[in-house]
Amino acid sequence: MLNESEKNMDQSGETKEVKPEEKDHSLPDTGQEGKDAGDFKSEAIEVVQSSEVLFAEQQAIVQSLKQELDESKNKIGELQHSIRRLAADFDNYKKWVAKERQIVERTATESLIKKLLDIYESLEKAAATDDESVSKEFKEGIKLIYKEFSRVLKSEGLEPIKAEGTPLDVCKHEVLMQMLNDEAPENTILQEIQKGYFLNSLVLRPAKVVVSQKSQKEETQETENTKNQEEVKGE
């Protein structure tokens, strides 16, 4: 049977205050709640530590990638420099080859034309001769050959050097003889013994010439005139 207080609780619907000694001790206190809290804290610490380790690893990877990128950029720069240097060397090589080819061609041309000069001058003399023993047709044939020969040599850059009546130029004239002549200035070319030629503005063969030389009397008179002029200037 219910006691009076239990009846009052049932009737009023209010909760009866339970005294400490009246607690239900059917389930023993095992400390599970504290253990769960401890496990949660431990797991939280492990997550934070794992995040820090992961961040550090990511930073190391990023740093390694940056270093590899810098090394790759340096290698690319070195390769580009090597390519530019090789391109410049190849361009210089092409220029050198072209220059060498020109030198070889010019040397070959000079050598060939030098050998042909004697034939050319012989044709020139034959074309200018008035030998009546030679038929007219033969003369016309020689003139045509000489004309064509001249055209070919001129197209290769052959030109005669002017000599007779011009001042001596040791670069293109070779003196074979001196002749006394008081009428012409000193070292004027009086006669051309052998023609000289330019090949593309370069001397292929110098002209062999005779130049004027003043007499001793004329030289003495010029020396006295020069002294007189200097004395007048000095006064």
Side-chain angles (χ1 to χ4, degrees), residues 22 31 87 104 166 179:
E22 295 178 352
V104 170
T166 63
M179 185 180 294

mmCIF file with all atom_site columns, all heavy atoms in Angstrom, residues 22 31 87 104 166 179:
data_model
loop_
_atom_site.group_PDB
_atom_site.id
_atom_site.type_symbol
_atom_site.label_atom_id
_atom_site.label_alt_id
_atom_site.label_comp_id
_atom_site.label_asym_id
_atom_site.label_entity_id
_atom_site.label_seq_id
_atom_site.pdbx_PDB_ins_code
_atom_site.Cartn_x
_atom_site.Cartn_y
_atom_site.Cartn_z
_atom_site.occupancy
_atom_site.B_iso_or_equiv
_atom_site.pdbx_formal_charge
_atom_site.auth_seq_id
_atom_site.auth_comp_id
_atom_site.auth_asym_id
_atom_site.auth_atom_id
_atom_site.pdbx_PDB_model_num
ATOM 1  N N   . GLU A 1 22  ? 18.007  8.269  -1.390   1.00 0.00 ? 22  GLU A N   1
ATOM 2  C CA  . GLU A 1 22  ? 16.955  7.555  -2.066   1.00 0.00 ? 22  GLU A CA  1
ATOM 3  C C   . GLU A 1 22  ? 17.246  7.367  -3.542   1.00 0.00 ? 22  GLU A C   1
ATOM 4  O O   . GLU A 1 22  ? 16.413  6.879  -4.279   1.00 0.00 ? 22  GLU A O   1
ATOM 5  C CB  . GLU A 1 22  ? 15.619  8.297  -1.907   1.00 0.00 ? 22  GLU A CB  1
ATOM 6  C CG  . GLU A 1 22  ? 15.150  8.343  -0.469   1.00 0.00 ? 22  GLU A CG  1
ATOM 7  C CD  . GLU A 1 22  ? 13.841  9.135  -0.333   1.00 0.00 ? 22  GLU A CD  1
ATOM 8  O OE1 . GLU A 1 22  ? 13.458  9.754  -1.376   1.00 0.00 ? 22  GLU A OE1 1
ATOM 9  O OE2 . GLU A 1 22  ? 13.270  9.138  0.738    1.00 0.00 ? 22  GLU A OE2 1
ATOM 10 N N   . GLY A 1 31  ? 32.398  6.205  -14.882  1.00 0.00 ? 31  GLY A N   1
ATOM 11 C CA  . GLY A 1 31  ? 33.248  7.301  -15.372  1.00 0.00 ? 31  GLY A CA  1
ATOM 12 C C   . GLY A 1 31  ? 33.305  7.387  -16.881  1.00 0.00 ? 31  GLY A C   1
ATOM 13 O O   . GLY A 1 31  ? 34.268  7.878  -17.449  1.00 0.00 ? 31  GLY A O   1
ATOM 14 N N   . ALA A 1 87  ? 72.795  30.447 -83.732  1.00 0.00 ? 87  ALA A N   1
ATOM 15 C CA  . ALA A 1 87  ? 72.244  31.128 -84.908  1.00 0.00 ? 87  ALA A CA  1
ATOM 16 C C   . ALA A 1 87  ? 73.222  32.185 -85.426  1.00 0.00 ? 87  ALA A C   1
ATOM 17 O O   . ALA A 1 87  ? 73.432  32.319 -86.642  1.00 0.00 ? 87  ALA A O   1
ATOM 18 C CB  . ALA A 1 87  ? 70.902  31.775 -84.561  1.00 0.00 ? 87  ALA A CB  1
ATOM 19 N N   . VAL A 1 104 ? 87.297  32.477 -104.303 1.00 0.00 ? 104 VAL A N   1
ATOM 20 C CA  . VAL A 1 104 ? 87.686  31.376 -105.195 1.00 0.00 ? 104 VAL A CA  1
ATOM 21 C C   . VAL A 1 104 ? 87.270  31.683 -106.631 1.00 0.00 ? 104 VAL A C   1
ATOM 22 O O   . VAL A 1 104 ? 88.050  31.491 -107.582 1.00 0.00 ? 104 VAL A O   1
ATOM 23 C CB  . VAL A 1 104 ? 87.055  30.055 -104.719 1.00 0.00 ? 104 VAL A CB  1
ATOM 24 C CG1 . VAL A 1 104 ? 87.240  28.961 -105.752 1.00 0.00 ? 104 VAL A CG1 1
ATOM 25 C CG2 . VAL A 1 104 ? 87.665  29.622 -103.388 1.00 0.00 ? 104 VAL A CG2 1
ATOM 26 N N   . THR A 1 166 ? 99.258  60.287 -119.340 1.00 0.00 ? 166 THR A N   1
ATOM 27 C CA  . THR A 1 166 ? 98.810  60.463 -117.952 1.00 0.00 ? 166 THR A CA  1
ATOM 28 C C   . THR A 1 166 ? 100.007 60.434 -117.003 1.00 0.00 ? 166 THR A C   1
ATOM 29 O O   . THR A 1 166 ? 101.069 59.912 -117.336 1.00 0.00 ? 166 THR A O   1
ATOM 30 C CB  . THR A 1 166 ? 97.828  59.346 -117.550 1.00 0.00 ? 166 THR A CB  1
ATOM 31 O OG1 . THR A 1 166 ? 98.494  58.078 -117.596 1.00 0.00 ? 166 THR A OG1 1
ATOM 32 C CG2 . THR A 1 166 ? 96.629  59.319 -118.473 1.00 0.00 ? 166 THR A CG2 1
ATOM 33 N N   . MET A 1 179 ? 112.793 58.447 -120.430 1.00 0.00 ? 179 MET A N   1
ATOM 34 C CA  . MET A 1 179 ? 113.226 59.143 -121.635 1.00 0.00 ? 179 MET A CA  1
ATOM 35 C C   . MET A 1 179 ? 113.302 60.641 -121.339 1.00 0.00 ? 179 MET A C   1
ATOM 36 O O   . MET A 1 179 ? 112.377 61.202 -120.732 1.00 0.00 ? 179 MET A O   1
ATOM 37 C CB  . MET A 1 179 ? 112.236 58.877 -122.775 1.00 0.00 ? 179 MET A CB  1
ATOM 38 C CG  . MET A 1 179 ? 112.667 59.456 -124.108 1.00 0.00 ? 179 MET A CG  1
ATOM 39 S SD  . MET A 1 179 ? 111.442 59.089 -125.407 1.00 0.00 ? 179 MET A SD  1
ATOM 40 C CE  . MET A 1 179 ? 111.608 57.296 -125.504 1.00 0.00 ? 179 MET A CE  1
#
